[in-house]
């Protein structure tokens, strides 16, 4: 009886202890963190730049009209295939033809006027030559007059000398005669001697009279020579004036010839322009290609006063196209020439077209504060499915790695310091506070304040450490371990590991949550998310 009395309370106490133990165990399990992990793999990573662009033909020519007039005839339409030099359209030529006739008449008139002026110039040149010959003759006459004047001067001087000699002889003969007369009166000489002295005296008187006449003749000759020289000088001046006048007339005629030749040249230029304009009434194709646009109809009037009106648009070859991609400024550094690219268009959503980057333009475009650059991609279009103006969704393959360790981007985004009750290693905790990972990495490579401020005038710059990325690896014992990494290029879901203690097969944590074993087992089959109970705590 006593045994039964203690049996029931004992069973009740055991039941209570079991219930308390169960709830305590379940509460402890609920407090325990479970982790979502992804296994690290090896493989290739493709870095791409995704953008949009517009399809354009490689060569597109706008054919316009250079003359005014009415479209008389059209020979092509949309999608017409044309050859270089093929006639596309004609403009009414009547106005251009009348201009040609008017210009030709003006040219003929200018040419006739020019010939008349040229003949006048030839006459003026002949007059110049005639005046020059007269001048030479006058110069010769002047030289002869000068020589005659010198001869007359010499003759006068000679006559004066003879006169002086005759005068001296006369004086001598007079003295002889007077002496002989005196001696004769005194009977010292004979009469014949006196007569001889008298005769000599009379001869001397005749000689002096002759010498005086010679002087008068020489003076008359001198005056005549002077008059002849003055006349010759006057004639020379007159012929020189005539020569200058003839030269002036010739120069004037030459200027008229030049002016008439210029007028002929202008008239010829106007005639040529009119003939060219007449040729412009026929519109020819400048290239081989396809007409993609016709902007006029027969009977329509086109005017090319200020802007050339567009008549047709011709693309050279639709089997080769260009895609002009608008690349964001953040991605343009990843794009270079000769990179491969793929793109799709909405017209053929199941087909993927390929191309190669052939140009990266350095001119930016700013629209609504967004800066973009243009990359031109060449693409083949053998079936001519692609059409100008289509919008392309482009993927440019920037870089492809070799086989490498690749870490999931979700593991790089996981922030352990923001997960409550996360078991941080001792070296990551200070004074009971959860450390900031960025501060830890910055502190690792940052120089001391004293060293950094040794040069007070220098700006301090902080370079990001090479191993600034961190992931958490779940060890076989179930404990998280931090691993620093230096990463390379990134793809859509994975990033290349360049350096770090991470190897193939490691499980990296992408999320952490709290839950019991039943929840954990249920969440172990969640696929890429990995194991974990409840809603993962992801940052």
């Amino acid at each position: 009886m006593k045994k039964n009395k203690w049996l029931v309370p004992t069973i009740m106490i055991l039941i209570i202890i079991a219930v308390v133990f169960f709830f305590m165990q379940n509460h402890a399990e609920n407090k325990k963190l479970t982790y979502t992990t992804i296994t690290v793999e090896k493989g290739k990573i493709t870095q791409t730049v995704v953008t949009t662009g517009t399809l354009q033909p490689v060569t597109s020519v706008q054919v316009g009209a250079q003359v005014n007039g009415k479209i008389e005839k059209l020979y092509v339409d949309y999608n017409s295939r044309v050859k270089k030099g093929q006639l596309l359209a004609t403009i009414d030529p009547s106005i251009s033809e009348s201009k040609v006739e008017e210009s030709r008449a003006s040219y003929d008139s200018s040419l006739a006027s020019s010939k008349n002026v040229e003949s006048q110039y030839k006459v003026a040149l002949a007059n110049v030559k005639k005046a020059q010959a007269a001048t030479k003759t006058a110069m010769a006459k002047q030289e002869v007059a000068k020589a005659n004047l010198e001869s007359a001067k010499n003759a006068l001087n000679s006559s004066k000398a003879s006169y002086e000699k005759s005068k001296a002889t006369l004086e001598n003969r007079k003295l002889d005669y007077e002496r002989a007369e005196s001696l004769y009166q005194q009977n010292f000489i004979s009469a014949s001697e006196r007569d001889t002295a008298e005769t000599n005296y009379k001869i001397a008187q005749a000689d002096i009279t002759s010498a005086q006449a010679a002087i008068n003749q020489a003076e008359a000759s001198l005056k005549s020579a002077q008059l002849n020289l003055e006349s010759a000088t006057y004639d020379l001046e007159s012929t020189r004036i005539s020569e200058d006048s003839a030269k002036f007339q010739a120069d004037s005629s030459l200027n008229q010839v030049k002016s008439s030749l210029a007028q002929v040249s202008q008239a010829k230029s106007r005639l040529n322009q009119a003939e060219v304009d007449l040729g412009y009434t026929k519109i020819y194709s400048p290239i081989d290609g396809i007409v993609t646009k016709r902007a006029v109809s027969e009977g329509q009037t086109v005017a090319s006063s200020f802007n050339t009106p567009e008549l047709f648009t011709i693309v050279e070859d639709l089997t080769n196209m260009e895609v002009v991609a608008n690349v964001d400024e953040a991605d343009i550094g990843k794009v270079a020439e000769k990179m491969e690219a793929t793109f799709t268009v909405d017209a053929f959503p199941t087909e993927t077209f390929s191309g190669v980057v052939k140009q990266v333009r350095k001119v930016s475009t700013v629209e609504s504060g967004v800066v973009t650059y243009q990359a031109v991609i060449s693409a083949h279009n053998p079936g001519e499915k692609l059409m100008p103006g289509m919008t392309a969704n482009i993927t440019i393959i920037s870089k492809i790695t070799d086989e490498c360790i690749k870490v999931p981007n979700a593991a790089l985004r996981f922030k352990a310091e923001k997960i409550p009750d996360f078991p941080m290693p001792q070296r990551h905790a200070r004074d009971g506070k959860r450390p900031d990972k960025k501060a830890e990495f910055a502190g690792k490579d940052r120089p001391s304040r004293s060293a950094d401020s040794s040069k007070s005038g220098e700006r301090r710059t902080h370079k990001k450490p090479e191993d600034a990325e961190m992931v958490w690896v779940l060890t076989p014992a179930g404990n998280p371990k931090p691993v620093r990494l230096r990463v390379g290029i990134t793809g859509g879901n994975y990033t290349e590991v360049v350096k770090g203690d991470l190897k193939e097969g490691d499980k990296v944590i992408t999320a952490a949550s709290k839950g019991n074993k039943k929840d954990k087992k249920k969440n172990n089959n969640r696929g890429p998310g990995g194991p974990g109970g409840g809603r993962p705590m992801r940052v």
Side-chain angles (χ1 to χ4, degrees):
M1 192 69 178
K2 288 182 179 180
K3 288 181 179 180
N4 291 335
K5 179 180 178 180
W6 290 104
L7 181 61
V8 174
T10 301
I11 292 173
M12 292 297 292
I13 291 171
L14 291 175
I15 292 173
I16 292 170
I17 292 172
V19 170
V20 170
F21 177 78
F22 174 78
F23 278 106
M24 289 179 66
Q25 182 70 22
N26 190 43
H27 181 69
E29 287 183 357
N30 285 337
K31 281 188 175 182
K32 187 176 180 181
L33 288 172
T34 55
Y35 305 104
T36 301
T37 62
I38 298 178
T39 303
V40 175
E41 301 174 350
K42 267 189 175 183
K44 294 182 178 180
I45 295 178
T46 302
Q47 180 177 267
T48 61
V49 175
V50 179
T51 184
T52 60
T54 305
L55 280 159
Q56 295 180 359
V58 176
T59 303
S60 176
V61 179
Q62 294 181 347
V63 181
Q66 293 179 278
V67 294
N68 301 330
K70 183 175 66 177
I71 299 297
E72 189 175 58
K73 183 71 176 177
L74 291 175
Y75 299 95
V76 294
D77 203 347
Y78 287 95
N79 300 331
S80 296
R81 293 187 179 272
V82 297
K83 296 292 184 180
K84 183 177 180 180
Q86 180 178 336
L87 183 63
L88 305 179
T90 56
I91 298 174
D92 183 10
S94 57
I95 296 176
S96 297
E97 287 174 349
S98 64
K99 287 183 178 179
V100 168
E101 294 300 324
E102 181 183 353
S103 299
R104 182 172 286 112
S106 177
Y107 170 68
D108 292 340
S109 176
S110 299
L111 193 60
S113 177
S114 176
K115 290 181 178 179
N116 184 33
V117 172
E118 285 181 357
S119 65
Q120 292 177 0
Y121 175 61
K122 290 179 181 179
V123 172
L125 286 179
N127 291 335
V128 169
K129 291 181 179 179
K130 185 177 179 181
Q132 288 175 341
T135 300
K136 289 181 179 179
T137 301
M139 291 176 66
K141 287 181 178 181
Q142 187 189 43
E143 293 299 324
V144 171
K146 287 181 178 179
N148 291 335
L149 179 61
E150 290 296 325
S151 178
K153 287 181 179 180
N154 293 332
L156 179 60
N157 292 332
S158 177
S159 297
K160 288 181 178 180
S162 296
Y163 175 79
E164 293 297 328
K165 181 180 180 182
S166 297
K167 186 178 180 181
T169 301
L170 178 62
E171 291 294 331
N172 188 36
R173 292 292 185 268
K174 183 181 180 181
L175 291 174
D176 288 342
Y177 171 68
E178 290 176 352
R179 186 179 303 112
E181 182 66 28
S182 176
L183 290 174
Y184 175 74
Q185 291 296 330
Q186 294 176 14
N187 294 314
F188 288 116
I189 61 173
S190 64
S192 62
E193 289 177 341
R194 180 186 68 86
D195 292 338
T196 300
E198 182 180 6
T199 300
N200 290 336
Y201 174 60
K202 288 179 179 180
I203 292 173
Q205 285 179 335
D207 288 340
I208 198 167
T209 301
S210 176
Q212 182 64 49
I215 289 175
N216 293 337
Q217 180 64 35
E219 286 178 348
S221 298
L222 178 62
K223 287 181 180 180
S224 177
Q226 288 175 341
L227 290 175
N228 289 335
L229 178 59
E230 290 176 359
S231 176
T233 302
Y234 175 81
D235 291 341
L236 178 59
E237 294 297 327
S238 178
T239 55
R240 283 178 173 172
I241 292 173
S242 298
E243 181 183 352
D244 292 339
S245 177
K247 287 182 178 179
F248 176 79
Q249 291 295 333
D251 291 340
S252 178
S253 297
L254 179 59
N255 291 332
Q256 291 178 359
V257 168
K258 292 180 179 178
S259 177
S260 65
L261 291 176
Q263 291 176 358
V264 170
S265 178
Q266 289 177 354
K268 180 63 174 176
S269 177
R270 286 193 293 267
L271 176 59
N272 292 339
Q273 183 62 50
E275 290 175 342
V276 169
D277 289 343
L278 179 60
Y280 285 153
T281 59
K282 294 183 179 181
I283 311 300
Y284 297 96
S285 174
I287 59 173
D288 296 342
I290 301 172
V291 177
T292 58
K293 181 180 179 181
R294 174 178 61 80
V296 291
S297 302
E298 289 184 2
Q300 182 176 343
T301 301
V302 293
S304 59
S305 300
F306 299 101
N307 298 319
T308 301
E310 180 185 352
L311 305 183
F312 305 96
T313 299
I314 302 175
V315 297
E316 185 174 23
D317 183 13
L318 287 179
T319 59
N320 291 296
M321 302 283 286
E322 287 181 347
V323 185
V324 180
N326 299 314
V327 183
D328 189 86
E329 63 175 327
D331 296 327
I332 194 63
K334 303 174 186 176
V335 180
E337 294 180 3
K338 299 183 180 180
M339 286 184 175
E340 295 182 357
T342 59
F343 62 93
T344 60
V345 294
D346 293 341
F348 307 102
T350 60
E351 293 190 46
T352 300
F353 302 89
S354 61
V356 177
V357 177
K358 74 172 187 178
Q359 186 182 59
V360 179
R361 296 175 179 170
K362 300 184 182 299
V363 178
S364 64
T365 302
V366 182
E367 186 175 350
S368 301
V370 178
V371 180
T372 57
Y373 293 84
Q374 290 184 337
V376 181
I377 301 168
S378 61
H380 293 293
N381 184 27
E384 297 187 2
K385 289 184 177 180
L386 301 173
M387 299 182 184
M390 285 184 171
T391 300
N393 303 307
I394 308 161
T395 300
I396 301 173
I397 301 173
S398 176
K399 189 176 181 181
I400 301 177
T401 66
D402 297 329
E403 286 288 324
C404 65
I405 299 294
K406 56 182 185 178
V407 61
N409 292 339
L412 295 173
R413 293 193 298 268
F414 176 70
K415 308 296 181 184
E417 62 271 15
K418 295 185 179 180
I419 304 298
D421 301 326
F422 190 86
M424 303 289 288
Q426 282 294 330
R427 66 177 181 274
H428 290 276
R430 295 176 182 172
D431 302 328
K433 298 180 181 179
R434 305 185 68 80
D436 182 37
K437 185 172 72 173
K438 292 182 180 179
E440 179 185 353
F441 290 150
K444 175 184 175 185
D445 290 342
R446 182 184 300 148
S448 65
R449 182 174 298 272
S450 60
D452 184 56
S453 60
S454 61
K455 297 181 180 179
S456 58
E458 294 183 1
R459 285 184 62 185
R460 289 182 293 175
T461 58
H462 301 289
K463 185 178 179 182
K464 185 177 179 180
E466 291 182 346
D467 54 352
E469 299 293 343
M470 173 183 279
V471 295
W472 292 83
V473 177
L474 192 65
T475 64
N479 299 319
K481 180 182 74 171
V483 176
R484 291 191 180 90
L485 304 175
R486 187 201 304 173
V487 297
I489 67 170
T490 181
N493 298 315
Y494 291 89
T495 297
E496 174 192 15
V497 176
V498 177
K499 180 181 179 182
D501 189 15
L502 191 68
K503 55 187 179 296
E504 186 179 7
D506 286 348
K507 296 183 180 298
V508 290
I509 299 173
T510 59
S513 61
K514 292 182 179 180
N516 55 31
K517 293 181 179 179
K518 191 181 294 184
D519 294 332
K520 179 178 179 181
K521 187 176 292 184
K522 186 186 295 184
N523 283 292
N524 275 336
N525 299 320
R526 294 179 65 182
R535 184 175 180 178
M537 295 182 185
R538 183 175 294 176
V539 180

